[in-house]
Every structure is written in structure tokens, then in C-alpha cells.
Amino acid sequence: MSTPPLKKLTEPLTLFLIGVTGDLAKKKILKAIYKLHEKQLLASPFTLIGNARSPLSREEFQAYVKEIVRPSDDGTWTSFAKSLQYVAGNAADEATFAKIKALHQKLQKQRTCGNHMWYIATLPQLYLPIIQNLKQCQLHNSSCGWTKLLIEKPFGTDLASAQKLNQELSEAFSEDQIYRIDHFLGKETVQNLVAFRFANGMFEELWSNKHIDHVQVTHSESLGVAGREQFYDATGATRDVVQNHLLQMIAVCLMEEPASLNPDDIRKSRSALLKSLTGLSGKNMADHVRFGQFTAGVIDGQKVPGYLEHEGIPAESNTETAVALKLGIDSPRWAGVPIYVRTGKRLARDVLELSVQFKDKPNRMFSSIKYGPDPNILTFRFQPNEGIVLRLFVKKPGHGIELDMVPMEFCYRNTYQMDFIEAYERLIHDASNSDATLFPGHESIESSWRIIDDVLDYQRRVKPDPYPAGSWGPESFTKLIEQDGREWIEPSIDVCSV
Ligand code: BG6
């Protein structure tokens, strides 16, 4: 199977990046845009109008971007630098958008009519004023070329605010103009889940409660919250990564087969899966959710301070820096299959993986031989050491019959000697080419909040359990899964360590 090669837009494009000096623009967005420029995949002519509060001249802005993208080739950089423009001003003020509009109109005069992509990458508190300003200044559509809006998560802080945000968005933009970014959906390895499941019929047959005991997701980060204290303390691990990234990833793994490769069909399947997540309201929450907060510890041999010791974090903060959950799905295919999720900052290692544990069939020929507790497990390692691993039993060579657990691995780096396309690069390119496959729609976002609202309500009522930085989280995370007679699968360092 092959897809057409990546397309380059033939009409001019202006990308308005609001929040251009923010953490995300610095770490991901600007680098991704520059990569697309290097690969000649940006529209031509291309203009980037950055906005932030800092009073930078155009030359200072160019120098700022250069420092971030660290170009390796002068010619490529010079042509990119020419496309950079900057407007200083508070994005909450309408006057800032009037200035952006004036600059854009001035630049337009020198060019033919083109397309417009607004990219909101600011603190979430600014989303509503920005949308209103776009509308007030008549920047939400254009008589000349298309206008799209790219908007970063978090989409709201709970169901009510997400609904309000969606309402405001829909008053200014039609749904097909809106591209909500969840960069986990843009990860190459997450996309491979779809290919793995639906291109290999034999696995699809096994994908149900008939054969699967449970699913578990581990998203552990050794990184702390330095530099993002204000955002993180108001957000917490549940809102930061579970409501969006991890639930979307679970949806890709467990959704019903889409009717076609068409973006609408794929989005519909993901959304339907999220809609069928079992609500937690009325449940004994301690059986389903545990929170953690890191204390001082050691990461990679270095002592690191506890969460509450960070400047900018209130001494009595209850914010969870880690969370473990047990979820379920109300569908004939998945009834009775628990989904365990754990994530957190300052955990033992950087890993993102999803494991499917198959049921162990009783009374088999080998039941009498002690071969250990682990039945077959299929692991999708999304990062690092990307690959897919199936753990199998084999007979250990020798006179007797002794079983050994061995991995059967597909490792990207062994098979493909090429770099992955970075998620942001992929998503910005897809959005500019009007491919919405990897962008969640408003329904799927509201479905996730329905579950997460109950989790957050519980979070407000309990204290997080402390865990030392560098561990796998608090004891309570272990108990959450052990109460069901299961255990967390410790991500193996050996997976695809090629
Ligand atoms: C972001 C979260 O959305 O995703 C961060 O806000 C998290 O807290 C990050 O670290 C993880 O993404 P990646 O691609 O670096 O694994």
C-alpha cells in the first residue's frame, strides 16, 4: 500500500502564529515549519507573521527564530528569513489584530490573493479573546483564499468550558475550518497502530474481549515542570496528557474499523470509541483513579527537587504530577476489558507504550509446567526505541522441556534507515493541505471531558500520594492494578535497543 507523495501548496499562504515566543513555538512549532521549508513543502510564497507581547523589531524576530531553528545552510535560511514578519501586542487586545490585519493587507498588495492559517499557541486563557478578536476584525474568513484555524490543546479545562470554547469557535468558524492539534495523533508510531490493526486481518480477529484480558498504557516522563510552573500547576497530569493525548491514542488502538481511509470515517471511529468509554460517575473512585505528586529524588544520577520546592508552585499545591486510571468501554467488543493508564512527570524513564495482554487459556498441554505468570503480550513502543514486540514462549534448547519467554520484534530503526517526520511537521503540513484525519473533532473532545470531569472532581477532594522523583510513581498506582490481580508491565529497556 502506498499513499501519494507529500504535496506542496501552490497558492500563497500566510501563517499567523499567535504566541510565537511561547514554550511550544520554541520547542516544536517553529522547528517544524522550518523543516517543511527545508523540504520545500511550504506553500510558495509563504509568509509567517508572528505575534507575542515582546517588543521585537523584524530583525530581532528573525534573529530569534534563527537561534531556535539553527539552520545548517545559509541559502535555505536566507530565503526563510525573508518570509518572517512580526507584530508585537497583547493577543487579548483587539488592537493587536487590527495591526496584524494592516500588516497583512500591506503585504498582500505586493502579492496575489492567498490562503490564511491562524495558529493559536498561547496560554489557554487567551483562546476566547483571540477568537473574538479574529471575528471582530473580520479575520475569520476571507473573500480571497481559505482561512483555517489551528488551535492547541488544552481544549477547555472541563466539559463546560470545552463546550463554551466549541460554541465560540463555531460562531466564528465552520467545523471544517478548525484543526485542533493533538500532536500524539501526528506521531508516526501512533499512526502505525491503524496500519497494524487494519492491514493485518489476523490481529483484527483477536481484537476483542474474547481474546484480550486487558490493555495498559504507560506514559512516563523523566522531565519535570521547570519553566511551565504556572501552566502546569493550573493543569495537572490528567488535563495535560490524559484527557487528550492518551485517550486519543487509546481510541486509535481500540476503535472499530473505519468505513474507509477517508478523514471523516477515521475521525468518526475514534470519536465513537471515546463516546463509549464507561462513565465513572457513581463508581467507587478509589478503585479507578489514583493521583501522585513527586517529591525530591534522583533522575539520571542527578538530585532533583520535589514539585512543591519549585519557585512558582504554591507550597500547599494539590496538583497531581502523575495519575493512574482504570477505564472501561461499553461495547459488545470491549465489555469487561479494563484499560489501565499511568502517566507522570519525574518518573523513572521516558517511555510511551501501549500493551495488549492476551488471555491465558486454562488447561492447556503446558499448564502443568511452571513457566511464569506472563501470558502473551503485544507491546506498541511509541517512544523511544520505536517498535512492536510480541512476547512468546519458546522451548529452551536442551534435553528437558523448559519454556522461555522471548520477544519477537519489529524495530523501526532496523527496517527503515530514515528519520521520522516530527508530529508537528506532519500536522502543519496536513492542515495546510486540508487533511483533517489526524485532528480530533469537537465531539471526541467533549466525550473525553465527560470522563475526565469525574476524575477532576475526585482530584479536588483527595490529596495526591507522594512519590520520589525517579520512581515508577506512588505505591497506590501498584495497588490500583494489583487489586484486580494484574500488574504493571515494566517497560523493557531491551525493546528495540538497536
Ligand atoms: C504536551 C504536554 O502536550 O506533551 C507535556 O503538555 C508533555 O507536558 C508533552 O511533556 C509530551 O509530548 P512528547 O511529544 O514530548 O512526548
Side-chain angles (χ1 to χ4, degrees):
M1 188 190 87
S2 65
T3 51
L6 291 179
K7 282 184 286 176
K8 176 183 169 120
L9 278 185
T10 46
E11 303 99 43
L13 174 68
T14 304
L15 197 158
F16 305 85
L17 182 49
I18 313 298
V20 75
T21 55
D23 191 59
L24 193 65
K26 226 184 274 175
K27 285 196 183 131
K28 307 268 189 183
I29 304 170
L30 287 169
K31 288 180 188 148
I33 295 171
Y34 190 67
K35 258 265 154 2
L36 288 168
H37 171 72
E38 280 183 326
K39 293 182 179 171
Q40 301 190 0
L41 284 172
L42 284 178
S44 170
F46 172 76
T47 309
L48 171 72
I49 302 184
N51 160 255
R53 277 188 303 186
S54 319
L56 302 177
S57 67
R58 184 175 176 212
E59 291 67 34
E60 285 167 332
F61 178 57
Q62 287 166 326
Y64 166 81
V65 176
K66 188 173 187 185
E67 181 63 28
I68 289 170
V69 303
R70 297 186 177 273
S72 55
D73 172 80
D74 279 351
T76 314
W77 165 252
T78 308
S79 59
F80 187 69
K82 282 192 195 139
S83 68
L84 298 178
Q85 301 283 345
Y86 183 76
V87 173
N90 186 341
D93 297 341
E94 200 182 313
T96 303
F97 286 81
K99 277 202 273 174
I100 296 176
K101 186 173 181 175
L103 172 66
H104 177 53
Q105 279 172 344
K106 193 170 124 203
L107 297 170
Q108 284 271 80
K109 282 204 189 111
Q110 299 154 16
R111 292 193 181 146
T112 51
C113 170
N115 299 319
H116 315 88
M117 204 149 87
W118 291 91
Y119 193 147
I120 307 183
T122 59
L123 282 175
Q125 299 86 290
L126 289 169
Y127 289 4
L128 289 181
I130 292 174
I131 295 160
Q132 276 152 10
N133 290 336
L134 286 172
K135 213 171 146 203
Q136 285 301 324
C137 296
Q138 296 294 310
L139 289 163
H140 57 303
N141 54 32
S142 156
S143 53
C144 159
W146 51 247
T147 301
K148 288 181 185 143
L149 178 79
L150 271 69
I151 181 166
E152 278 292 335
K153 60 114 225 183
F155 310 110
T157 51
D158 55 15
L159 178 59
S161 58
Q163 283 170 332
K164 176 149 175 47
L165 178 62
N166 279 332
Q167 177 62 31
E168 290 280 336
L169 281 168
S170 69
E171 283 169 18
F173 298 92
S174 59
E175 186 61 19
D176 61 3
Q177 284 180 287
I178 307 169
Y179 289 74
R180 298 171 183 83
I181 297 214
D182 187 312
H183 78 280
F184 273 39
L185 289 180
K187 287 183 191 278
E188 185 68 47
T189 43
V190 174
Q191 288 168 54
N192 191 35
L193 262 177
V194 180
F196 179 89
R197 284 193 53 200
F198 303 118
N200 299 298
M202 72 186 238
F203 285 103
E204 195 46 22
E205 281 299 300
L206 299 174
W207 229 243
S208 76
N209 51 9
K210 199 164 161 217
H211 300 287
I212 292 177
D213 175 75
H214 77 274
V215 174
Q216 54 174 276
V217 174
T218 293
H219 174 241
S220 56
E221 295 184 287
S222 59
L223 212 78
V225 297
R228 303 171 78 206
E229 289 86 354
Q230 188 198 351
F231 165 79
Y232 199 84
D233 200 57
T235 305
T238 315
R239 285 194 184 97
D240 188 33
V241 294
V242 181
Q243 182 272 333
N244 32 66
H245 302 328
L246 302 184
L247 291 187
Q248 288 290 339
M249 213 176 81
I250 288 167
V252 175
C253 179
L254 303 181
M255 68 185 180
E256 294 297 322
E257 183 164 9
S260 73
L261 278 170
N262 186 298
D264 276 353
D265 288 331
I266 297 182
R267 284 163 59 125
K268 254 188 227 155
S269 277
R270 280 201 310 261
S271 180
L273 189 286
L274 291 170
K275 203 168 174 186
S276 65
L277 284 170
T278 316
L280 294 173
S281 146
K283 300 243 155 103
N284 179 4
M285 290 302 279
D287 288 347
H288 288 81
V289 187
R290 300 294 171 101
F291 304 104
Q293 189 183 72
F294 67 83
T295 55
V298 177
I299 299 266
D300 288 336
Q302 302 283 320
K303 280 192 184 160
V304 297
Y307 181 69
L308 298 180
E309 293 163 53
H310 285 66
E311 209 171 301
I313 302 290
E316 69 292 353
S317 171
N318 242 2
T319 297
E320 80 288 10
T321 59
V323 57
L325 300 113
K326 174 184 165 185
L327 302 170
I329 297 173
D330 281 329
S331 77
R333 189 196 273 258
W334 294 117
V337 177
I339 301 152
Y340 300 95
V341 181
R342 60 175 169 167
T343 179
K345 299 284 184 197
R346 288 286 191 226
L347 291 177
R349 284 211 316 276
D350 288 307
V351 174
L352 173 60
E353 68 177 35
L354 181 151
S355 292
V356 174
Q357 181 143 9
F358 288 92
K359 286 184 171 164
D360 199 11
K361 301 264 182 274
N363 304 321
R364 293 176 311 156
M365 195 179 135
F366 283 105
S367 310
S368 56
I369 301 178
K370 175 123 188 62
Y371 54 76
D374 296 320
N376 300 146
I377 298 169
L378 180 64
T379 297
F380 297 89
R381 170 63 69 83
F382 302 113
Q383 61 194 45
N385 306 345
E386 297 81 356
I388 302 175
V389 182
L390 179 61
R391 295 181 215 195
L392 299 168
F393 286 115
V394 295
K395 180 189 169 300
K396 214 172 176 174
H399 288 293
I401 294 196
E402 199 183 333
L403 297 182
D404 207 9
M405 172 82 82
V406 294
M408 198 161 101
E409 294 184 331
F410 152 69
C411 303
Y412 280 86
R413 312 266 171 214
N414 270 347
T415 310
Y416 304 105
Q417 280 74 42
M418 60 195 276
D419 287 339
F420 290 152
I421 297 179
E422 217 278 322
Y424 275 87
E425 192 187 324
R426 169 82 196 227
L427 294 176
I428 293 168
H429 180 266
D430 282 6
S432 53
N433 282 288
S434 307
D435 181 345
T437 311
L438 302 176
F439 298 85
H442 74 97
E443 279 177 6
S444 78
I445 286 168
E446 291 180 15
S447 297
S448 343
W449 278 121
R450 195 174 46 83
I451 304 298
I452 296 302
D453 266 9
D454 285 324
V455 176
L456 294 174
D457 178 57
Y458 181 52
Q459 189 270 341
R460 284 186 279 273
R461 291 185 275 122
V462 293
K463 278 203 130 347
D465 301 315
Y467 63 92
S471 68
W472 282 107
E475 255 309 291
S476 56
F477 285 17
T478 312
K479 288 196 187 123
L480 179 88
I481 193 163
E482 279 184 359
Q483 72 192 355
D484 296 342
R486 302 184 174 101
E487 58 188 62
W488 293 111
I489 301 162
E490 185 159 329
S492 164
I493 306 180
D494 297 335
V495 164
C496 291
S497 52
V498 285

